[in-house]
Amino acid sequence: MKIIRSSKCSLKFATKSKRDELQSILTEYGRVCNIFIEHFWNSTVPSKSKLLKDIVDLPKNTWLSARLRKVAAREAIDMIKATKERWKNKPDKMKMPVHKGKRMYVSCTIADLIESKESIEFDAWLHVASVGDKHILDLPIKYHKHFNKFDALGKRLNSYIITNKYVQFSFEVETGHKKEGNKILGIDSGINALASLSNRQQIGLDIKDCIERIKRCVQGSNGSKRARRAIKQRIDECVQEIIKLDPDLIVVEKLKDLNKNTKLKRRLSKNIRRSIGIWNWKYWLKRLEQACQLNRVKFRTVAPFYTSTTCPECGYTDRMNRFGEKFKCLKCNHEDNADLNAALNILKRFITGPYGAGYKLDNLTFQNVQV
Ligand SMILES: [Zn+2]
């Protein structure tokens, strides 16, 4: 399987005049992009492959090169498509998108990474040309661990996202086939432990402290930024701990339809308020899924209903089965840690329910799944 991974390199080594010049290009790029958006918004959006000269020449009074105008037109089309897709169920609330002039996606026709042979300070230069008004920029790039990891694993692509703070590089990584074993882990995400696993392990028991630290900080302060970075780092470590258990398949609760299903939203938002915050939650699941892709682990989701209030022994579901961190079935008296119980239910739901469709394994039963 081919996957795409990205890595950002800071532009903090560029001189101020270079960064100012870059900002002026980005600002003009954004302005031109908005001209295209305004033009395409109420008429038919042209196909990206049919951007002929008359379309590319639409914006007047700009010094942007035809090449970069074409890039801007493409981005305008993408932005319109994304907006229309996002608001397709509520077209009356849809607003025309606006490019803020903060970033541009460019390919090898505009930018090129050139390894630096002379400089010992930098590893490469991002050569930006053909943007118009005789602008030619050479931005110093210093590689880092994350960049080097993906550079070694995969093939660097010739497309870049340029902002005034960083350049984002993309890599295509060939991961090979997914693993075929039946070591399956159900994972419940929460605040007492970031991950409670169906093999009865709990990972990230300190996540509550990390969240408390953010709450104590003034919003937007340096301390709060540090605490947020620390939480991300801790989440990444937890992901690695789970990958080290060498599972073949991971099952988590699905979060996707959060905007559509209000009932689900209420239950989740209550959980999330109590727990790790929706932003961190999304980050955690995204990182877990990415790590699975890279390590050939299958990643599946199940519907999140009643996973914390169902008894895995007798199947009885009652909100009163759960009492804070404790689970006790009102029918059969089965007792457990509430989070570990939820992890078991997630695993069970995957194996026995229709949610596991597409995962065909011989002799797969709840009992013979071992991690
Ligand atoms: Zn029971």
Side-chain angles (χ1 to χ4, degrees):
M1 193 180 114
K2 280 198 173 83
I3 56 170
I4 303 288
R5 283 293 178 273
S6 60
S7 189
K8 291 174 187 173
C9 289
S10 170
L11 285 178
K12 66 183 175 189
F13 306 106
T15 58
K16 185 170 182 306
S17 74
K18 272 188 191 176
R19 272 186 286 156
D20 289 347
E21 197 178 347
L22 176 60
Q23 185 53 61
S24 75
I25 297 169
L26 286 169
T27 306
E28 182 62 7
Y29 175 85
R31 195 181 72 83
V32 167
C33 204
N34 288 331
I35 295 174
F36 283 119
I37 291 173
E38 274 166 42
H39 193 83
F40 299 151
W41 185 248
N42 289 315
S43 59
T44 29
V45 181
S47 110
K48 278 205 270 185
S49 57
K50 284 187 184 133
L51 288 173
L52 300 173
K53 194 173 178 302
D54 54 328
I55 297 178
V56 175
D57 285 344
L58 272 173
K60 308 292 177 202
N61 308 321
T62 175
W63 47 260
L64 232 54
S65 68
R67 216 175 260 186
L68 197 51
R69 289 201 301 272
K70 196 167 187 170
V71 176
R74 284 201 181 126
E75 187 162 0
I77 293 170
D78 283 338
M79 285 172 74
I80 290 172
K81 277 189 186 154
T83 305
K84 290 196 168 160
E85 174 64 27
R86 192 167 166 196
W87 296 98
K88 66 180 175 196
N89 295 324
K90 288 179 186 167
D92 48 316
K93 287 198 175 172
M94 184 162 63
K95 277 189 196 144
M96 193 173 75
V98 177
H99 196 288
K100 290 177 183 137
K102 285 187 175 163
R103 56 159 68 193
M104 55 183 187
Y105 296 78
V106 297
S107 66
C108 57
T109 59
I110 301 286
D112 202 8
L113 190 70
I114 298 161
E115 302 286 322
S116 162
K117 293 203 176 71
E118 293 97 48
S119 171
I120 41 166
E121 277 172 275
F122 314 116
D123 298 302
W125 301 93
L126 187 74
H127 183 69
V128 183
S130 309
V131 293
D133 202 26
K134 297 191 182 107
H135 284 294
I136 291 176
L137 276 176
D138 283 296
L139 303 166
I141 301 291
K142 204 166 165 61
Y143 300 156
H144 46 75
K145 208 171 141 194
H146 187 254
F147 180 100
N148 289 332
K149 176 184 157 191
F150 287 113
D151 202 31
L153 271 177
K155 192 181 115 205
R156 189 172 55 74
L157 301 175
N158 269 326
S159 62
Y160 313 89
I161 294 176
I162 305 177
T163 76
N164 65 356
K165 290 202 171 70
Y166 61 83
V167 177
Q168 184 174 313
F169 298 92
S170 301
F171 303 88
E172 190 180 77
V173 181
E174 176 55 67
T175 59
H177 292 294
K178 292 267 191 259
K179 291 197 274 183
E180 289 292 342
N182 59 353
K183 281 159 73 178
I184 307 182
L185 270 184
I187 301 181
D188 181 59
S189 319
I191 188 164
N192 295 313
L194 177 62
S196 297
L197 314 181
S198 53
N199 71 351
R200 310 206 59 79
Q201 253 178 287
Q202 291 194 298
I203 287 172
L205 285 161
D206 55 345
I207 205 75
K208 204 175 194 169
D209 297 337
C210 299
I211 295 157
E212 295 299 323
R213 214 168 300 148
I214 291 188
K215 282 186 188 158
R216 279 198 303 270
C217 293
V218 181
Q219 221 178 351
S221 67
N222 283 336
S224 137
K225 278 180 200 153
R226 256 198 311 278
R228 275 169 202 278
R229 264 202 304 275
I231 243 187
K232 271 176 140 181
Q233 200 182 349
R234 188 67 194 110
I235 287 174
D236 289 344
E237 286 166 9
C238 291
V239 167
Q240 287 313 315
E241 277 182 58
I242 290 172
I243 293 297
K244 273 195 197 127
L245 296 171
D246 197 26
D248 299 307
L249 191 151
I250 279 175
V251 192
V252 297
E253 285 184 316
K254 190 175 187 169
L255 259 184
K256 214 175 170 185
D257 297 331
L258 207 61
N259 293 326
K260 287 181 193 153
N261 194 325
T262 48
K263 204 170 155 193
L264 174 64
K265 197 175 175 179
R266 232 177 292 136
R267 150 154 149 62
L268 279 175
S269 63
K270 193 179 160 199
N271 257 351
I272 288 164
R273 245 183 286 129
R274 256 188 325 137
S275 64
I276 64 175
I278 187 138
W279 182 86
N280 284 313
W281 192 311
K282 280 184 179 164
Y283 178 80
W284 147 246
L285 290 181
K286 192 183 100 194
R287 298 298 278 190
L288 188 60
E289 184 172 11
Q290 286 181 339
C292 284
Q293 289 174 340
L294 202 57
N295 293 281
R296 307 189 296 119
V297 180
K298 288 174 179 153
F299 183 87
R300 296 289 186 275
T301 55
V302 291
F305 302 104
Y306 313 123
T307 49
S308 61
T309 53
T310 299
C311 173
E313 292 293 318
C314 73
Y316 179 65
T317 300
D318 194 317
R319 253 174 44 204
M320 307 303 281
N321 277 353
R322 179 175 186 160
F323 197 79
E325 288 170 40
K326 276 209 171 120
F327 179 91
K328 189 178 182 189
C329 178
L330 293 179
K331 207 169 180 186
C332 74
N333 287 325
H334 169 69
E335 279 183 61
D336 202 350
N337 166 304
D339 294 328
L340 288 171
N341 181 62
L344 269 185
N345 279 325
I346 289 166
L347 174 65
K348 196 166 186 178
R349 179 162 293 179
F350 173 75
I351 292 166
T352 59
Y355 312 99
Y359 187 72
K360 292 186 183 70
L361 230 165
D362 294 335
N363 307 319
L364 179 66
T365 60
F366 187 46
Q367 279 72 28
N368 71 9
V369 175
Q370 302 278 322
V371 171

